[in-house]
Amino acid sequence: MRVRVPFGRRELVGVLIRALDESPVEPARLKSVLQILDREPVLSTSMLSLLQWAADYYHHPLGEVLKTALPSALRQGQGLAVKGLSVWSLTPAGTDVDLSQLNRAPLQRRILKALADTPTGLHGGQLAKISRGWAGAIRQLVAKGWVGVRESELSGGAISPAEPAPALTAAQNAAVDAIAASLNSFRAFLLHGVTGSGKTEVYLNVIARVLPQQRQALLLVPEIGLTPQLVARVRARFPISVAVLHSAISDKERLRAWLQARDAKAQIVLGTRSAVFTPMQSPGVIIVDEEHDTSYKQQEGFRYHARDIAVMRARRENIPIVLGSATPSLDSLRNATKGSYERLVLPDRTRTAALPAVHLLDLRRLALNNGLSPPLLEHIGKRLHRGEQSLLFLNRRGYAPIYMCHDCGWLAPCARCDGKLTFHKHRQRLRCHHCGADIVVPETCPDCNGVNLHALGEGTERIESVLVSLFPQARVVRIDRDSTRRKGALEEKLSQVDVGDADILVGTQMLSKGHDFPNVTLVGVLNADQGLYSADFRASEQLFQQIMQVSGRAGRGHKPGEVWVQTYHPDHQLFTALRCHDYDAFAQNALDERREAGYPPFAHFALLRAESPKTDAALTFVQFAHQLACSCSLNGVDVMDPLPSPMERRAGRYRAQLLLQATRRRPLHDFLNNWLPRLEAARASKRVRWSLDVDPMDMY
Ligand code: ADP
Ligand code: ZN
Ligand code: ZN
């Protein structure tokens, strides 16, 4: 239960997890709770014990773990009773208003117009899309008697009649049956289905088997903004309440969704990473879509992996869990080989006979036109001619990654990082993609005053402008973080592609996520070598997953697709596997390498990171931590050398790290339980900012 307590001079909301008869603290120094905020526990016993487990596993303070699990409205002490969602709509008087009366109040005018277009009314989240200042304008419209408000039971979208499901293929049926056969016990399934093989259809059918048992389904997705189609499909299939939780909803909407899930008013809970902590009265299945996606790992504060927590949660709730992907993580594949997970395979696409043909373009023999090879341009031209769409993938936003002086060789550096600034031509800015620094483009070289400044290399912005000039008749749509910053911009662009208002798509990894664009018949991968020789041992896995996912966007409709990959290393094993769509061959090879090197999933890592504005402070601290570790009992744990981080200076801070590894988890955790408290107690630990990352996903 939540309590309000005095804390220094402030009052804070805390969570009461246990009551004791005695305290080691002197009675005179104990303070009283000011108020008990809940009459019933805000977290169930099973949820609390899951969170306790997570706090232990990630060696993170329980308070912060609980904080992650509670919606912010509850953290601030708000009551558990929520009113329905307020929905505003026009009154009869409002429908007759002549809009020109509102010429001097443009916001009221826009809202009135929007309400006139939506007779069923709009809720706060929808009105906020019109303008942040919507609340004041609505109040005035209500005062004028033109707008009325009512409470609605439902969250978001209206309920529509269920959409009929297609008849399943044999492989889909087998998968659904296998999962449905263990609805009453824990079992982890790895659903490995090639792109377009109908994994989502399997999820929907499993959910359809769970709901009649009066149980709920939790469906986790990497990023909701990138998969609006999935949300729409779930809503269309099940005419029941779906609670949707992601970062872009308001605190009030989040609390509503959370309570609906907790009280089983919502039978389906759909959300991103932190939704794994959504309470459910009667959970029946957990599904993690695109389980390989790195966005399931929180990269700051409480660094949990939502997929791993989901598996633990399913185990404790004694229900099945389904991890789906066309490119499963090596960790999950290894679990399947060991027999901890049961692997289910969907080998074929549902709509077209074949996966796209993958071809390599050997860049050593081709002259590039701004990053584009002549054969690729020719293939794009053919698509334009046939009225089909092309998709070009380049995982680098901005116009050019380097801005340089031709006279003296100066490369525009970031003042606060060990990195270069990216040139953004449209905005005429130089930006750092590591710390967010953003400066005007200098007219002359700061070193030699020369005026011969050039942008070197390609980002998505340059590719877009090259395509526009080469194919003036084509409609080019760019999808990356810059072009989709405005709220609603991504949805607009995706629907432009859907309805055929686009001929060529250019974009970053945002394009590789679950989109289903049936008219895309050509995928071009512009710089496949990026990350091939990265210092990070997971880089090639992520590179392969991205290329395979983006290739999977080709030929999903009835027309066959083709993929052209530009590379300087056509003989690399990774591309050989890609050509045959042989994820298993790639994975087997990568797993062999990991085994040899003693890397995860054959070992377990914990990474201590430290940073400080002072030059050597972080390194000094990890050196101290290293010594301290060596003085602890190291049974089965290897302590690597303390090192500066691969990018030593970032956002004005110097960084260093210390890697710990062990072949078995238990000794690693025993060691951490011994070492961390001593590290925390040491004075050195107060001089830098530091954190521990259990199962780190990147080594930076
Ligand atoms: P995945 O998630 O594996 O990439 P989807 O579930 O998005 O694949 O399915 C790809 C397309 O095939 C979707 O448009 C879906 O409606 C369609 N589909 C899935 N299963 C079937 C089926 N059994 N029969 C016909 N079409 C199907
Ligand atoms: Zn110069
Ligand atoms: Zn920077």
Side-chain angles (χ1 to χ4, degrees), residues 3-7 11 27-35:
V3 289
R4 199 178 287 285
V5 293
F7 189 84
E11 282 180 17
R29 295 187 53 215
L30 287 171
K31 292 186 184 175
S32 298
V33 164
L34 300 172
Q35 190 190 358

Side-chain angles (χ1 to χ4, degrees), residues 327-631:
T327 53
S329 62
L330 295 180
D331 308 78
S332 296
L333 280 177
R334 162 96 177 125
N335 277 320
T337 325
K338 278 199 312 199
S340 334
Y341 295 176
E342 179 174 338
R343 183 160 165 182
L344 305 169
V345 180
L346 305 179
D348 303 307
R349 283 190 159 183
T350 55
R351 284 190 295 206
T352 48
L355 285 161
V358 178
H359 310 279
L360 302 178
L361 289 166
D362 186 347
L363 291 184
R364 293 168 305 184
R365 302 199 177 108
L366 292 164
L368 289 178
N369 176 355
N370 289 291
L372 298 163
S373 63
L376 184 59
L377 289 170
E378 199 178 302
H379 294 300
I380 297 172
K382 280 193 212 149
R383 294 308 181 294
L384 284 174
H385 193 69
R386 299 208 295 255
E388 297 170 4
Q389 294 168 319
S390 307
L391 183 160
L392 301 182
F393 169 67
L394 174 63
N395 216 356
R396 199 195 266 151
R397 62 198 172 85
Y399 189 84
I402 288 179
Y403 196 71
M404 78 171 292
C405 169
H406 204 66
D407 296 339
C408 75
W410 170 84
L411 306 173
C414 176
R416 310 175 66 221
C417 302
D418 293 332
K420 303 280 169 273
L421 295 172
T422 299
F423 177 47
H424 287 255
K425 187 174 184 184
H426 177 68
R427 305 214 172 265
Q428 279 296 308
R429 308 290 288 186
L430 293 176
R431 287 190 181 152
C432 175
H433 290 182
H434 303 286
C435 73
D438 185 341
I439 61 170
V440 290
V441 180
E443 279 170 15
T444 56
C445 170
D447 275 6
C448 75
N449 270 326
V451 291
N452 258 324
L453 299 174
H454 289 287
L456 210 68
E458 300 83 30
T460 46
E461 198 189 332
R462 176 174 251 168
I463 299 296
E464 176 191 29
S465 70
V466 173
L467 289 168
V468 167
S469 66
L470 291 175
F471 303 106
Q473 75 282 24
R475 294 158 299 177
V476 182
V477 173
R478 172 162 63 94
I479 296 188
D480 57 28
R481 256 201 290 147
D482 300 312
S483 76
T484 58
R485 220 167 279 266
R486 184 172 51 80
K487 208 169 175 182
L490 177 64
E491 288 81 354
E492 268 166 42
K493 284 173 188 278
L494 293 177
S495 80
Q496 220 178 320
V497 182
D498 272 335
V499 302
D501 256 351
D503 301 305
I504 310 176
L505 281 98
V506 183
T508 55
Q509 49 87 25
M510 287 177 88
L511 281 180
S512 68
K513 316 262 167 157
H515 310 289
D516 196 21
F517 301 131
N519 203 32
V520 168
T521 59
L522 171 75
V523 165
V525 178
L526 300 191
N527 185 355
D529 302 338
Q530 231 173 62
L532 203 52
Y533 301 104
S534 160
D536 198 320
F537 75 94
R538 285 188 202 270
S540 73
E541 174 184 357
Q542 281 162 17
L543 172 76
F544 194 80
Q545 286 165 342
Q546 272 179 6
I547 298 184
M548 195 141 181
Q549 290 282 349
V550 80
S551 305
R553 303 309 116 203
R556 292 172 69 92
H558 295 285
K559 295 169 219 155
E562 254 180 14
V563 180
W564 290 87
V565 179
Q566 299 188 154
T567 171
Y568 285 98
H569 304 277
D571 301 324
H572 196 285
Q573 179 268 339
L574 192 143
F575 296 119
T576 326
L578 186 72
R579 280 177 61 185
C580 318
H581 303 280
D582 198 344
Y583 190 75
D584 290 338
F586 159 77
Q588 196 47 57
N589 195 310
L591 278 169
D592 289 345
E593 281 174 18
R594 298 262 188 103
R595 178 183 286 128
E596 202 117 307
Y599 285 159
F602 301 95
H604 305 289
F605 281 4
L607 188 65
L608 177 76
R609 294 191 183 89
E611 57 177 47
S612 163
K614 293 205 200 97
T615 330
D616 289 324
L619 190 58
T620 307
F621 173 69
V622 294
Q623 279 161 349
F624 167 77
H626 178 260
Q627 273 169 14
L628 187 67
C630 296
S631 73

